[in-house]
Amino acid sequence: EVQLVETGGGLVQPGRSLKLSCVASGFTFSSYWMYWIRQAPGKGLEWVSSINTDGGSTYYPDSVKGRFTISRDNAENTVYLQMNSLRSEDTATYYCAKWALWNNYGFFDYWGQGVMVTVSS
Amino acid sequence: DIQMTQSPASLSASLGETVSIECLASEGISNDLAWYQQKSGKSPQLLIYAASRLQDGVPSRFSGSGSGTRYSLKISGMQPEDEADYFCQQSYKYPWTFGGGTKLELK
């Protein structure tokens, strides 16, 4: 059974840092791209970062580029999200998600339970 | 970025009613579209990928269709457990983008 378990959320002041972790199980972690996706309270879904299988390539939207860093440890089946210089608009539930491909069509086939990050003074 | 416009933003349906949710992409996405269901307080779950392929374990009353820029999710026979938010997502061109969501309630 595939499981993705995020930890590390909490309340943090603006300008401070937080690091999220997502431990994966039930699949060959090192074979899949992994993503972080967030959802502000009562809002839609926003892609936050992605990382390829060996961690050598990472991608970010402009809204977090230069502040967030995604990384992974394939030996520990874990993907991380280091969030620096946090802003109030980063307040959201953060999900890690497994990326899957079928005939070159992509989709997120498994999601973690999510972890809440609140940025407030 | 490709914009994904979902409609309606909300709707209510009676038990057994057939429901359709639309997703319009700002440019053609060649069926590279997925649909997710998110129940209150839970994480999203994959329903449909490649526009029309049903994820394993998803009830057959869910179906997806469309082409080019227009796609739809149909629920043939609303059930109480279908009350949820629904999101579309394109993976044709980076960055992957999501629709704004449709809140479906049982009337």
Side-chain angles (χ1 to χ4, degrees):
Chain A
E1 179 195 6
V2 172
Q3 283 197 307
L4 299 170
V5 180
E6 302 102 330
T7 57
L11 173 63
V12 62
Q13 293 179 328
R16 303 298 290 266
S17 299
L18 204 60
K19 187 172 185 177
L20 307 182
S21 300
C22 171
V23 178
S25 60
F27 65 101
T28 305
F29 179 74
S30 58
S31 297
Y32 293 89
W33 284 57
M34 295 297 294
Y35 283 67
W36 287 95
I37 296 160
R38 68 184 179 186
Q39 186 173 35
K43 302 296 185 182
L45 298 161
E46 179 191 16
W47 162 66
V48 172
S49 62
S50 49
I51 188 166
N52 72 341
T53 55
D54 66 6
S57 296
T58 58
Y59 303 87
Y60 309 90
D62 288 344
S63 58
V64 307
K65 196 175 293 183
R67 299 188 300 122
F68 289 13
T69 303
I70 188 173
S71 61
R72 65 190 296 161
D73 182 339
N74 285 343
E76 296 293 329
N77 288 354
T78 303
V79 59
Y80 303 98
L81 185 66
Q82 176 68 48
M83 304 184 293
N84 298 333
S85 304
L86 282 161
R87 306 167 180 168
S88 58
E89 55 263 37
D90 296 318
T91 294
T93 296
Y94 285 73
Y95 297 100
C96 74
K98 171 180 170 288
W99 184 245
L101 282 172
W102 177 84
N103 280 12
N104 286 325
Y105 292 106
F107 46 92
F108 299 107
D109 61 347
Y110 290 96
W111 299 63
Q113 86 285 357
V115 62
M116 185 68 199
V117 172
T118 303
V119 184
S120 174
S121 54
Chain B
D1 298 1
I2 296 178
Q3 306 302 313
M4 305 299 291
T5 303
Q6 258 184 262
S7 62
S10 64
L11 77 160
S12 61
S14 302
L15 198 64
E17 184 178 345
T18 293
V19 170
S20 280
I21 297 169
E22 307 291 321
C23 196
L24 177 66
S26 58
E27 61 183 87
I29 57 172
S30 295
N31 291 358
D32 215 341
L33 182 102
W35 290 96
Y36 302 89
Q37 178 193 65
Q38 185 178 32
K39 296 183 179 180
S40 181
K42 302 293 187 182
S43 56
Q45 293 207 321
L46 177 67
L47 296 174
I48 300 281
Y49 60 95
S52 61
R53 293 195 64 87
L54 196 66
Q55 172 69 344
D56 290 346
V58 175
S60 59
R61 63 180 178 275
F62 290 91
S63 63
S65 64
S67 63
T69 61
R70 292 184 177 275
Y71 299 85
S72 62
L73 173 71
K74 186 166 76 172
I75 306 173
S76 300
M78 174 76 179
Q79 298 299 307
E81 60 267 31
D82 299 337
E83 197 169 66
D85 293 331
Y86 293 83
F87 295 92
C88 61
Q89 175 250 323
Q90 67 82 21
S91 49
Y92 179 72
K93 188 182 289 186
Y94 232 31
W96 312 151
T97 47
F98 294 86
T102 296
K103 177 177 286 294
L104 175 60
E105 295 176 329
L106 184 63
K107 196 181 293 184

